Amino acid sequence: MPIERRQFFNMSILRVSYRVDARVSNRRGYRLRMTGFFGELKRRKVYRVAIAYVVASWALAQGLAQVLPVFDISNSVIRAVIALLLIGFPVALIFAWIFDITPSGIERTPEAAPQPMARAQRQRSLILLAALGVLVAAAAGFFLLPRAAAHKIDKSIAILPFENLSDDKENAYFADGIQDDVLTNLSKIGDLKVISRTSVMGYRGKTGNAREIGKTLGVANILEGSVRRAGNKVRVNVQLIDATNDKHIWAEDYDGDLTDVFKIQTDLAREIAAALQAKLSPSEKEHLERKPTQNSEAYLAFVRAHDLWSTAVEDLAKLKFSEQTYQHAIDLDPNFALAYARYAQLESWIIHSFENTAERRAKARSLAQRAIELQPQLPEAHLALGFVRYYVDNDFDAAAQEFEIAQRGLPNESEVYLALGAIQRRQGKWDQSNASLEKAVSLNPKDIWTLQNLAINYEMQRNFDAANKTIDRALAIDANAVGPLELKGKIAIEEKGDLSLPEQILARMDSVPKTPEIEAKLGAIRVTVFLFQRKFESAARAAESLPDAKLTTVPGLLCSKYTAIGVAKKALRDEAGAREVLAKAKALAEADISQNPDSAASHARLAEALAWLGEKDAALAEIERAQQLLPLSKDAFEGPEMVAKAAEIHAILGDPAGAVSMLDDLLQRPSSVTLGMLKVNPVWDPIRKDPQFQRLIDKYSGKA
């Protein structure tokens, strides 16, 4: 082999040998560097920090996933928190590398001895650590964020009024009955949130945007439907819509005879529950499958009666027609437990609002008891018995027990929470009452009566800001609703002694069509405002213009009319005229007591008439009887009204000490007694200049 070639060959071998040695050396150096890197991770406790960070982050994410939905906070918050935790992971690793927690506090981690890492190597290690942290966080985010962003089914639904497609437009009540029964079936499923009937009826005949409706009612799903009835043939068409994106989830047609209507309702409720992934307990399944009656004619009568009552709670004539229709339903089917229950509840309402007679009280008890006997587990039967215990017997503890049983069977029924809230405030459980009424509002956000009751709670607790906001929500639904307008004016007086707002409200209501009951109530309010304004001639004329026949529909209003005239005439120095009308008020109160001797309000009205007549001992005896019938210890809601009336009696009789001690107590507890009311109500004029009364005003004005 030539020398030139041999030398080239030898040099090539040297080059190859050098490259192999360099690669081996580089690999050995890399392994040494990596060994040193992982050793430093261990020495600097980076592993511990990483594990602790992952465990704490996982626990936090899981906790938020459980807690935030309870407060209706969206999944986007959970996703944002997870993203922040992922971003923080590499940052935590870098801090763990640089710093250490010692007994002296947080200090910089010392370099390893005896061979500390070179500066360049430390920088490479930090870059490598940050890269590893970012890589791990990115990988975790790839798996976690899609899960957090995944659509979780919101088990809330509103069932809009079903369209009546029958040729006979009188069948509209039948379409409403189908809708109402489906709604009731769903309201018995605890895993769902179902908006109550009152809040959805305003959407009848409207083709609103599903997203807007869902947002207004606070639900993620909407059911629309139609009903066609021809003789005994029934067709129900429904569409379940996702209100978050206005897309149809499914649509279905149900056909059958009138006798199949319960099966249609059951199948529909079951399919909705399945679509929303709601879990049904064995008892809930049983409730869904149970037919309320086998008699289709009885069912039609029941549906008509319930529709009448639902749309005319302040119209006594229509309520009496509803009574007759319920009676027809149970005549057709004497074992129709649900009809007995709703009939009993209607009787209790009429007793509470219009006619508190012994005959009606006995009838309400009998109907409720019959419903329980026929179907002991029927939640509506316990709801009805609860109202009998409440409105008829004034046994609030027994009523609460029945309402709690009803609530377990009707976990989505706004009416049950409204009843519970009403009882709880009478028991002095104001926080629980607020919570129950707020729940009722969440299930029935467009119901004026429910909002009004919640506002009354806030008003009595002197939370006037919350009371006004709640009443404004009711007036946004119906700007001419008398109950909320009356309460709005009352709050203005209680909060600021403002009489201008009630006056404006009354002027506005002059042009609004009214039932006789509403007209009577507005007339009484007008008289009160005139008295508070010291316009005694106007008050007397306004009271005298109210026909007696119209006032008899509201308990005690006729007696109050003649008392008001008497007060106005006394202020006008017409003693003879005052005595004449006050004697009539006395006779009316005595007649009320003869009909209902346990009515605290009737005894209080009699005491007031007697006090203005100057019959001191008799007046004090009657107001004491009223307080015995409705003491504060028994009723924290109306009990304060009896104490306030007793304070008025003492003021009328010229006893400032007795009046002031009672007022002082009432100003320290939930009641309608406020500084604003004390300043404008003329009933306090007999003691207004007394030093004790002035000291009371100063005390609660912050001047003491």
Side-chain angles (χ1 to χ4, degrees):
M1 180 179 294
I3 181 69
E4 291 84 359
R5 293 193 177 209
R6 187 183 300 118
Q7 288 177 338
F8 175 78
F9 178 73
N10 289 339
M11 291 179 68
S12 297
I13 292 174
L14 286 174
R15 290 193 189 99
V16 170
S17 175
Y18 174 78
R19 289 172 184 162
V20 170
D21 289 343
R23 288 174 183 170
V24 170
S25 176
N26 287 340
R27 288 173 183 168
R28 185 180 295 114
Y30 174 77
R31 286 197 297 271
L32 287 173
R33 287 195 299 274
M34 291 306 294
T35 301
F37 172 70
F38 288 113
E40 280 294 286
L41 290 181
K42 183 176 181 181
R43 185 181 73 82
R44 294 171 183 265
K45 302 174 183 176
V46 176
Y47 291 129
R48 293 185 185 180
V49 172
I51 293 170
Y53 189 94
V54 169
V55 171
S57 299
W58 178 259
L60 177 61
Q62 290 295 310
L64 290 174
Q66 295 296 320
V67 173
L68 293 184
V70 175
F71 299 97
D72 293 328
I73 298 175
S74 68
N75 285 339
S76 61
V77 176
I78 300 176
R79 294 196 295 272
V81 171
I82 291 175
L84 289 173
L85 292 173
L86 293 173
I87 293 170
F89 181 68
V91 178
L93 297 185
I94 293 171
F95 272 94
W97 175 280
I98 299 173
F99 299 103
D100 194 10
I101 299 176
T102 71
S104 302
I106 298 176
E107 297 180 354
R108 193 177 185 88
T109 305
E111 294 299 324
Q115 294 180 341
M117 297 177 69
R119 182 176 181 181
Q121 189 175 348
R122 288 199 303 271
Q123 290 178 346
R124 285 195 299 271
S125 296
L126 272 176
I127 293 171
L128 180 59
L129 179 62
L132 282 173
V134 170
L135 184 63
V136 171
F142 179 79
F143 289 102
L144 291 177
L145 284 176
R147 291 187 179 185
H151 176 66
K152 182 181 179 182
I153 291 181
D154 188 328
K155 303 173 186 179
S156 57
I157 187 169
I159 303 172
L160 302 187
F162 286 1
E163 184 182 1
N164 174 37
L165 299 181
S166 305
D167 293 335
D168 185 356
K169 297 307 175 184
E170 288 296 316
N171 275 324
Y173 79 91
F174 179 72
D176 287 346
I178 298 290
Q179 174 225 10
D180 194 46
D181 286 345
V182 172
L183 190 154
T184 300
N185 281 338
L186 291 175
S187 72
K188 295 177 179 179
I189 302 173
D191 203 28
L192 292 176
K193 174 187 175 182
V194 185
I195 298 301
S196 294
R197 183 181 194 266
T198 311
S199 288
V200 299
M201 295 311 287
Y203 294 99
R204 183 197 300 278
K206 297 180 180 178
T207 56
N209 181 284
R211 289 184 181 181
E212 294 176 1
I213 296 173
K215 184 178 180 181
T216 301
L217 297 178
V219 295
N221 303 279
I222 289 173
L223 186 78
E224 295 178 344
S226 62
V227 177
R228 184 185 299 277
R229 178 189 169 203
N232 285 328
K233 295 294 183 181
V234 177
R235 162 167 280 201
V236 180
N237 171 270
V238 291
Q239 306 88 39
L240 185 63
I241 302 169
D242 186 336
T244 62
N245 55 28
D246 206 2
K247 292 183 179 179
H248 282 65
I249 299 174
W250 58 256
E252 189 65 76
D253 290 331
Y254 299 88
D255 293 286
D257 294 333
L258 187 59
T259 53
D260 298 325
V261 70
F262 300 121
K263 183 178 184 303
I264 292 173
Q265 293 166 357
T266 299
D267 290 346
L268 178 53
R270 190 185 291 114
E271 289 195 38
I272 293 170
L276 300 184
Q277 299 182 10
K279 298 177 182 177
L280 273 69
S281 69
S283 63
E284 289 169 349
K285 289 179 182 178
E286 182 184 352
H287 282 308
L288 280 182
E289 294 168 359
R290 176 175 290 170
K291 293 182 179 181
T293 179
Q294 300 292 336
N295 189 313
S296 56
E297 291 301 319
Y299 172 72
L300 289 175
F302 168 81
V303 169
R304 184 180 286 277
H306 190 57
D307 186 64
L308 278 168
W309 180 22
S310 300
T311 56
V313 292
E314 296 290 342
D315 190 327
L316 183 58
K318 288 185 178 179
L319 293 180
K320 288 185 176 181
F321 185 55
S322 178
E323 276 187 288
Q324 297 170 17
T325 316
Y326 274 128
Q327 183 63 52
H328 183 54
I330 61 177
D331 287 342
L332 291 167
D333 181 1
N335 296 318
F336 196 167
L338 183 59
Y340 279 101
R342 290 301 188 189
Y343 191 2
Q345 192 174 336
L346 172 59
E347 287 300 309
S348 295
W349 173 250
I350 293 174
I351 290 165
H352 177 67
S353 302
F354 302 103
E355 296 179 358
N356 188 348
T357 64
E359 182 184 0
R360 283 198 181 279
R361 293 196 297 273
K363 186 177 180 180
R365 291 191 192 97
S366 175
L367 290 167
Q369 196 58 49
R370 180 60 177 154
I372 293 286
E373 290 170 359
L374 287 169
Q375 208 169 320
Q377 302 305 317
L378 183 68
E380 289 90 346
H382 288 281
L383 181 63
L385 185 57
F387 277 112
V388 170
R389 298 287 179 253
Y390 178 15
Y391 289 155
V392 180
D393 299 334
N394 289 324
D395 188 342
F396 304 138
D397 292 339
Q401 291 175 10
E402 295 298 330
F403 290 148
E404 286 164 3
I405 295 171
Q407 187 271 330
R408 290 193 288 272
L410 294 165
N412 282 292
E413 179 52 69
S414 169
E415 187 178 26
V416 176
Y417 292 99
L418 180 59
L420 273 172
I423 286 294
Q424 287 162 342
R425 66 188 175 194
R426 290 183 183 272
Q427 293 174 316
K429 302 174 181 177
W430 287 96
D431 289 342
Q432 292 181 36
S433 177
N434 288 347
S436 293
L437 293 177
E438 286 161 2
K439 175 71 172 178
V441 167
S442 74
L443 292 170
N444 208 357
K446 305 272 286 181
D447 181 47
I448 290 172
W449 180 247
T450 306
L451 287 163
Q452 184 177 326
N453 269 273
L454 179 58
I456 288 171
N457 263 33
Y458 293 142
E459 173 237 344
M460 288 194 65
Q461 295 169 82
R462 302 183 184 87
N463 185 352
F464 296 120
D465 183 55
N468 275 311
K469 287 179 180 177
T470 306
I471 280 299
D472 288 343
R473 286 180 61 184
L475 292 172
I477 299 167
D478 182 357
N480 295 319
V482 174
L485 284 171
E486 178 186 357
L487 186 56
K488 184 82 173 175
K490 186 169 181 275
I491 290 170
I493 298 172
E494 290 175 349
E495 184 181 12
K496 302 175 182 177
D498 176 13
L499 293 170
S500 61
L501 182 59
E503 196 171 25
Q504 293 168 20
I505 290 171
L506 288 168
R508 194 173 90 191
M509 292 302 294
D510 282 341
S511 59
V512 176
K514 298 173 280 291
T515 64
E517 293 80 11
I518 296 300
E519 193 171 350
K521 288 181 180 179
L522 287 172
I525 295 168
R526 191 182 307 278
V527 172
T528 300
V529 171
F530 281 141
L531 288 174
F532 282 12
Q533 292 173 327
R534 307 308 195 271
K535 297 179 180 178
F536 297 114
E537 288 185 3
S538 298
R541 284 197 302 270
E544 288 167 345
S545 68
L546 295 173
D548 286 4
K550 286 187 177 181
L551 301 182
T552 56
T553 58
V554 181
L557 206 54
L558 186 56
C559 175
S560 297
K561 164 188 170 175
Y562 287 100
T563 301
I565 296 171
V567 170
K569 286 182 178 292
K570 283 185 75 70
L572 294 168
R573 302 289 191 270
D574 181 2
E575 291 293 336
R579 291 195 67 82
E580 181 182 351
V581 290
L582 288 168
K584 191 164 186 176
K586 173 185 172 182
L588 288 166
E590 289 172 338
D592 288 343
I593 291 170
S594 68
Q595 288 288 322
N596 190 5
D598 293 332
S599 169
S602 295
H603 285 280
R605 285 191 290 270
L606 177 56
E608 185 177 11
L610 290 167
W612 285 115
L613 285 167
E615 299 180 32
K616 179 178 180 180
D617 292 340
L620 292 175
E622 286 300 325
I623 196 60
E624 183 178 355
R625 177 61 179 152
Q627 289 181 276
Q628 289 171 350
L629 288 167
L630 207 58
L632 275 172
S633 57
K634 178 184 177 182
D635 189 343
F637 182 65
E638 284 195 60
E641 294 299 315
M642 294 301 105
V643 178
K645 187 59 68 176
E648 290 181 11
I649 301 302
H650 281 269
I652 294 167
L653 295 173
D655 176 17
V660 167
S661 64
M662 294 178 191
L663 292 174
D664 194 9
D665 177 68
L666 291 173
L667 285 165
Q668 298 178 55
R669 67 171 70 240
S671 77
S672 295
V673 175
T674 66
L675 287 180
M677 193 64 79
L678 291 176
K679 290 176 180 178
V680 299
N681 193 339
V683 77
W684 309 114
D685 288 354
I687 63 169
R688 190 168 301 282
K689 295 182 181 180
D690 187 272
Q692 296 173 85
F693 188 81
Q694 285 301 315
R695 282 196 294 271
L696 179 76
I697 298 295
D698 290 343
K699 175 182 177 181
Y700 290 97
S701 298
K703 298 178 182 178

